Amino acid sequence: MSSLGVEDHLVDPATRDRAVAHLRSGGIVLPTLGELADPARIPTAVTAGLAGVGPDDPSPRNLFRIHWWNDGSRTRRVDVPDHVVLPRELTGVDARIVVALGDRFPMIGAHKVLAAYACLVPRIVTGRFDPTAQRAVWPSTGNYCRGGVAISRILGCHGVAVLPEGMSQERFDWLGRWVTSPDDIVTTPGTESNVREIYEACEELDRDPENVVINQFSEFGNHLVHWLCTGRALGAVFEHLRETDDTLRLRAFVSASGSAGTLGAGDHLKETYGAEVVAVEALECPTMLRNGFGSHNIQGIGDKHIPLIHHVHNTDVVVGVTDRATDQLAVLFSDPAGLAYLADRRGVPPATLAALPSFGLSSICNVLAAVKLAKRRGLGPDDVVVTVATDGAELYASERERVRARDFADGLDEARAAEVFGRWMLGADTGDLLETTARDRDRIFDLGYFTWVEQRGISVEDFVARREPGFWVGLRDRLAAWDELIVDFNGRAGVLAGGSWAG
């Protein structure tokens, strides 16, 4: 697998030693991926050192909050990952749709910070990235580059964000507060689905040997960390629900494709519970559904290509969701008239309404796809569909204002709220849903050839190896190897041994 960048051994001791000295000088300790999967394993001295550190502080200690087990304040640990079980009053289906809340993650309020950590740190501990001399370039449609910039700043290295110019203003506002220089924000033409333009900008940056492109669409650390951490967290949520009802069955995991990293959690849930893996994309850009293309506004699910880290042959269902639905429901879920309609006319419980600010555009997309699947499968009250709210509504205030001006120029009253809810939630149909056959999976898999072999230089042998389930299972050996290297790295740095993290 020489062209896939999944080294699990020390490649360059000299580079690793410079990184050790650098992190020692910054008083930085790296959590293992196993600790992020199970925060109970985090040393007491480290936990004590988190007291007084705000969740948005650019502090190395916040590395130990990059997990699913934070409470709503993002400062304390909970026994079960924060989630909401959506009732029939909201979804219109009997199945229990369970949404894990990604805005509990520190610094960026989105789970992409977990992927960014898992993509950079293995490079550091194997000696493939020098934080004293190289710049980490983070291509993204928004959240991953924010996570990368946050991790870079905490580790004392230079981070560069590459993202489309049409993404929400809130993303750019956040980046402006975190980057070293305005030049570290590189914008590309287009919006959510213009991933090729991002790659072209990275090709230019990659000509400078001091720049290292850490591409979430091809970094297998992204897949692996979600298999380990997100899969385990969602399993814990399901087991918690089953404590009070042992008749429950985990029927499916639903996630918008994006980089396909989060879909790695589906592999874990399929192996453990037999859940189907459901990949979601914008109906306006139906790449998996029918080799289509187009533009859309479901920010967070960049497409027009098949990510290298998408385990296509483990994907059972593909669902298309229109951005007209996510745009209008985002307004409904935040507007006083919309919330009043949901409470008074639909009887949506207050606890559910209180969770809606945790739903960004791709989160609403995931919920709609889960509803569509529940309808297609005829799921009942003993059936559970799990998904994630990647980020919260606060990242999209500017987008909601744009949609208000476009679709609700006269305001949102009860009648319009009922129309929006009836059309997009209660009226969600199953027409744009593909139950993948072996032929469908081969078709989707083969689409990736043009991006990764012809354009990105992946060898044909390594590309084709990804067809086999054994390839993906074999990747998991890297997790233990990387954690051993992290432990060795921390030992060499000696920060914890010095006692400076206590209290």
Side-chain angles (χ1 to χ4, degrees):
M1 295 186 286
S2 58
S3 66
L4 297 182
V6 288
E7 289 83 354
D8 59 357
H9 58 279
L10 183 59
V11 175
D12 187 336
T15 299
R16 188 277 314 273
D17 290 345
R18 285 193 296 274
V20 166
H22 178 72
L23 268 63
R24 180 191 300 124
S25 68
I28 299 169
V29 181
L30 300 173
T32 66
L33 300 178
E35 288 170 339
L36 298 182
D38 181 8
R41 294 171 51 187
I42 296 174
T44 303
V46 172
T47 304
L50 284 168
V53 177
D56 294 318
D57 293 346
S59 166
R61 303 181 186 224
N62 267 326
L63 295 174
F64 286 88
R65 287 182 172 140
I66 303 176
H67 55 69
W68 284 97
W69 306 77
N70 298 306
D71 71 352
S73 72
R74 297 179 296 149
T75 60
R76 293 182 296 273
R77 196 185 305 160
V78 292
D79 294 331
V80 180
D82 263 7
H83 62 281
V84 58
V85 181
L86 300 181
R88 179 181 174 83
E89 289 82 359
L90 182 70
T91 65
V93 296
D94 290 326
R96 304 192 197 193
I97 295 175
V98 181
V99 187
L101 304 179
D103 63 355
R104 272 42 173 173
F105 279 83
M107 296 170 290
I108 74 168
H111 75 32
K112 288 286 189 176
V113 70
L114 175 65
Y117 180 84
C119 292
L120 179 58
V121 167
R123 287 176 173 266
I124 291 175
V125 299
T126 56
R128 294 188 297 127
F129 181 84
D130 187 345
T132 70
Q134 294 179 307
R135 291 183 289 268
V137 177
W138 303 93
S140 168
T141 53
N143 284 332
Y144 174 76
C145 72
R146 292 196 305 124
V149 164
I151 298 298
S152 299
R153 179 170 172 180
I154 284 175
L155 297 183
C157 61
H158 200 143
V160 177
V162 184
L163 72 165
E165 62 189 358
M167 304 305 290
S168 70
Q169 184 59 44
E170 290 76 11
R171 283 178 165 84
F172 290 102
D173 292 343
W174 184 97
L175 285 167
R177 296 191 297 270
W178 277 77
V179 294
T180 304
S181 161
D183 293 337
D184 295 331
I185 305 173
V186 178
T187 57
T188 58
T191 54
E192 181 59 39
S193 58
N194 293 93
V195 175
R196 174 64 187 271
E197 290 80 357
I198 297 172
Y199 288 168
E200 290 171 348
C202 288
E203 287 173 2
E204 182 67 28
L205 291 166
D206 202 33
R207 293 190 176 98
D208 183 342
E210 292 186 353
N211 291 330
V212 177
V213 178
I214 306 176
N215 187 343
Q216 63 172 332
F217 300 96
S218 59
E219 290 279 334
F220 285 90
N222 184 4
H223 166 86
L224 287 169
V225 80
H226 284 298
W227 177 84
L228 177 68
C229 297
T230 304
R232 184 175 296 187
L234 296 174
V237 170
F238 176 65
E239 293 294 347
H240 171 72
L241 296 175
R242 201 155 62 172
E243 287 176 1
T244 56
D245 187 349
D246 61 8
T247 66
L248 296 181
R249 298 168 294 176
L250 182 52
R251 296 295 299 270
F253 169 68
V254 174
S255 177
S257 174
S259 69
T262 309
L263 284 169
D267 288 14
H268 175 98
L269 297 173
K270 175 180 279 192
E271 293 164 16
T272 307
Y273 301 103
E276 290 188 299
V277 179
V278 181
V280 190
E281 63 183 359
L283 189 57
E284 288 75 13
C285 189
T287 306
M288 291 183 287
L289 278 172
R290 45 184 175 266
N291 295 17
F293 61 91
S295 298
H296 67 88
N297 192 48
I298 309 179
Q299 298 189 21
I301 62 169
D303 37 34
K304 284 186 188 166
H305 76 310
I306 304 301
L308 190 70
I309 65 169
H310 184 175
H311 187 183
V312 171
H313 287 86
N314 210 33
T315 300
D316 301 291
V317 180
V318 176
V319 180
V321 172
T322 175
D323 68 356
R324 299 291 289 189
T326 54
D327 278 351
Q328 293 191 1
L329 286 171
V331 173
L332 178 74
F333 288 170
S334 63
D335 188 276
L339 295 173
Y341 166 78
L342 293 175
D344 299 338
R345 295 297 184 181
R346 291 293 306 170
V348 176
T352 305
L353 297 177
L356 295 181
S358 293
F359 289 15
L361 293 173
S362 64
S363 310
I364 297 171
C365 172
N366 285 344
V367 169
L368 284 173
V371 169
K372 287 170 174 274
L373 181 81
K375 289 183 176 181
R376 170 63 71 89
R377 293 285 185 254
L379 301 184
D382 294 334
D383 298 314
V384 175
V385 179
V386 295
T387 187
V388 296
T390 301
D391 56 25
E394 73 280 356
L395 279 174
Y396 304 100
S398 59
E399 294 299 311
R400 291 194 296 275
E401 289 309 308
R402 181 185 60 79
V403 174
R404 287 178 191 278
R406 184 191 71 191
D407 297 345
F408 305 106
D410 297 328
L412 184 72
D413 57 15
E414 182 177 288
R416 285 290 280 132
E419 179 186 345
V420 169
F421 186 79
R423 180 180 184 184
W424 299 125
M425 186 66 80
L426 298 183
D429 61 38
T430 62
D432 297 300
L433 186 151
L434 173 68
E435 299 175 60
T436 59
T437 64
R439 187 170 184 175
D440 292 320
R441 297 177 190 187
D442 284 341
R443 170 185 61 81
I444 295 168
F445 182 92
D446 290 349
L447 282 176
Y449 172 87
F450 304 99
T451 297
W452 300 109
V453 177
E454 291 197 344
Q455 299 173 19
R456 310 305 308 162
I458 298 297
S459 73
V460 173
E461 294 76 15
D462 285 345
F463 179 82
V464 171
R466 299 162 40 260
R467 288 188 189 274
E468 300 302 323
F471 168 88
W472 299 91
V473 174
L475 280 178
R476 298 168 195 168
D477 293 340
R478 272 76 182 165
L479 291 165
W482 288 340
D483 274 359
E484 289 179 7
L485 288 165
I486 291 171
V487 170
D488 177 74
F489 188 100
N490 286 336
R492 291 172 184 273
V495 175
L496 272 180
S500 61
W501 269 60

